[in-house]
Amino acid sequence: MRETARETPGPEFCAEVWARAAKLVAAIHEHPFNAALGAGTLDGERFAFYMVQDGRYLEAFSKVLATASVRATDSSDAAFFAQSAHTALVVERALHTGYLAEFGVTPEDAAAVPTSPSCLAYSSYLQATALSAPYPVVVAAVLPCFWVYQDVGTALLERTAEAPDHPYRTWIDTYSDPEFAASVEQARSIADRLAAGAGRATREAMAAAFLKATEYEWMFWDSAWHRETWPTATWLS
């Protein structure tokens, strides 16, 4: 059965889903982890835990972006996601390596930290989506990792502009960088274009994927704040 097209144009996809996620995005900005990060008071153990988990996540995310590149039917889309996969795996990993060394966390220390339930859940969700969902839904699912980070980074830059010696300046500068903002804009443009050409069912699936991934973004920061562990870990030998 052919998918039913939308009867009326409606708002652009990104404007629609960002509005629907407004309370959730606000909660991400207001989360104690990001509040302390912006204030420069976030303790090193929490940030190091976050860096370890984020490194694990980025390994999976880069594979999801590479899959999106392979599945893209537009060569420009394919090039964008291929480059983004490289950035996630190489450029952002360098950020993690630098901070972990600064906090005295060796590669061996990092390897000994179990992957948190939230990190595994988010990574697994994106990987499953990349392999089983239509390409437009994959694009919608990866968009929050671009957009939410840029939104948070930009907000923190505004709050910390007068603090050049901020302990997390490099992290803030990475995600508020104009080049990163340009990549976010391109990801949004791809999502809007795909949604405009999709039927109602695909557009609804795209929205659901975007919102679910945004929920996982909140959960990821919350898990870092609590240094989340597996509640059943002591039951295993």
mmCIF file of all heavy atoms in Angstrom, residues 63 95 161 181:
data_model
loop_
_atom_site.group_PDB
_atom_site.id
_atom_site.type_symbol
_atom_site.label_atom_id
_atom_site.label_comp_id
_atom_site.label_asym_id
_atom_site.label_seq_id
_atom_site.Cartn_x
_atom_site.Cartn_y
_atom_site.Cartn_z
ATOM 1 N N LYS A 63 29.334 5.161 13.653
ATOM 2 C CA LYS A 63 28.891 4.062 12.790
ATOM 3 C C LYS A 63 27.491 4.321 12.250
ATOM 4 O O LYS A 63 27.185 3.983 11.095
ATOM 5 C CB LYS A 63 28.946 2.757 13.558
ATOM 6 C CG LYS A 63 30.353 2.337 13.951
ATOM 7 C CD LYS A 63 30.345 1.092 14.824
ATOM 8 C CE LYS A 63 31.751 0.733 15.282
ATOM 9 N NZ LYS A 63 31.772 -0.442 16.175
ATOM 10 N N LEU A 95 39.011 15.610 21.898
ATOM 11 C CA LEU A 95 38.516 16.411 23.016
ATOM 12 C C LEU A 95 38.441 15.550 24.277
ATOM 13 O O LEU A 95 38.869 15.970 25.359
ATOM 14 C CB LEU A 95 37.137 16.981 22.674
ATOM 15 C CG LEU A 95 36.393 17.734 23.777
ATOM 16 C CD1 LEU A 95 37.083 19.062 24.062
ATOM 17 C CD2 LEU A 95 34.942 17.976 23.362
ATOM 18 N N ALA A 161 31.110 33.931 28.594
ATOM 19 C CA ALA A 161 31.950 34.721 27.689
ATOM 20 C C ALA A 161 32.986 35.546 28.437
ATOM 21 O O ALA A 161 34.080 35.814 27.916
ATOM 22 C CB ALA A 161 31.075 35.627 26.827
ATOM 23 N N ALA A 181 27.980 24.856 14.177
ATOM 24 C CA ALA A 181 26.646 25.397 13.922
ATOM 25 C C ALA A 181 26.251 25.204 12.459
ATOM 26 O O ALA A 181 25.087 24.908 12.146
ATOM 27 C CB ALA A 181 26.594 26.877 14.299
#
